[in-house]
Amino acid sequence: MFDIAQVRAAPSADLLTPDNSVMLFIDHQPQMFFGTGSGDRSAVINSTVGLAKAARAFDVPAVLTTVAAESFSGPLLPQLAAVFPGQKAVDRTSMNAWEDEALVEAVRATGRKKIILSGLWTEVCLVLPALSALAQGYEVYVVTDASGGVSPAAHEHALQRMLAAGAVPVTWVQVLLELQRDWALSETYGAVMEIVKEHAGAYGLGVVYAQAVSGAHAAG
């Protein structure tokens, strides 16, 4: 029930923060990219790397996983692996990552309830763990532009299935800015601006222009 006396300047508990979330990157591998046809693959790569750099900037735990890396799908996307040097991806045989004990333990060990999920393909390796994690009480945020399916229909229908089960659709820039949430947070401001300039297209160019005109601390 709405009580106007309780209205105050405070964030919603639904918001993603560096302290309540974990990022799970699923099967960003060459063979999976070869079969991705729901959108521009270069754009998916760019979004994925931007998302990964957001995790690094805010110290959000990141779990990396691959499927059949040595026998079929190939290694983790090099640009993604470079963001987390020395971190080994959990390699699986199961299409549903949530049926792999090592992967689930890695997520569980973070102690976080909100999973920021991205991967290939949306209709298999994303939807299956999303539904499984939701069924166990996790909150799942699907990064739609850092994911892809074999066709536009496959991607969209899988998203609809996840949304119907309670998942929340987001984009990588949305995640980045939700983690920052206040331009006065100087500890991460510089890193966020560098990520935006490198990966956020026209928005990034706008930051370049604003900083050139107004100085290095131009906000937004």
Side-chain angles (χ1 to χ4, degrees), residues 5 8 35 44 50 57 59 62 80 109 116 122 130 136 142 146-147 155 160 167-168 184 187 203 206 212 217:
R8 63 195 188 282
V44 176
D59 291 325
L80 175 57
I116 302 170
T122 322
Q136 294 184 18
V142 182
S147 306
H155 180 69
Q160 290 176 5
V168 179
E187 296 86 352
Y203 175 26
H217 297 288

Side-chain angles (χ1 to χ4, degrees), residues 18 54-59 176 179-195:
R56 184 177 65 187
F58 289 94
D59 291 325
L176 174 69
L179 293 173
Q180 177 69 22
R181 215 168 71 225
D182 188 338
W183 294 123
L185 295 176
S186 59
E187 296 86 352
T188 49
Y189 174 84
V192 168
M193 289 295 96
E194 289 306 310
I195 295 169

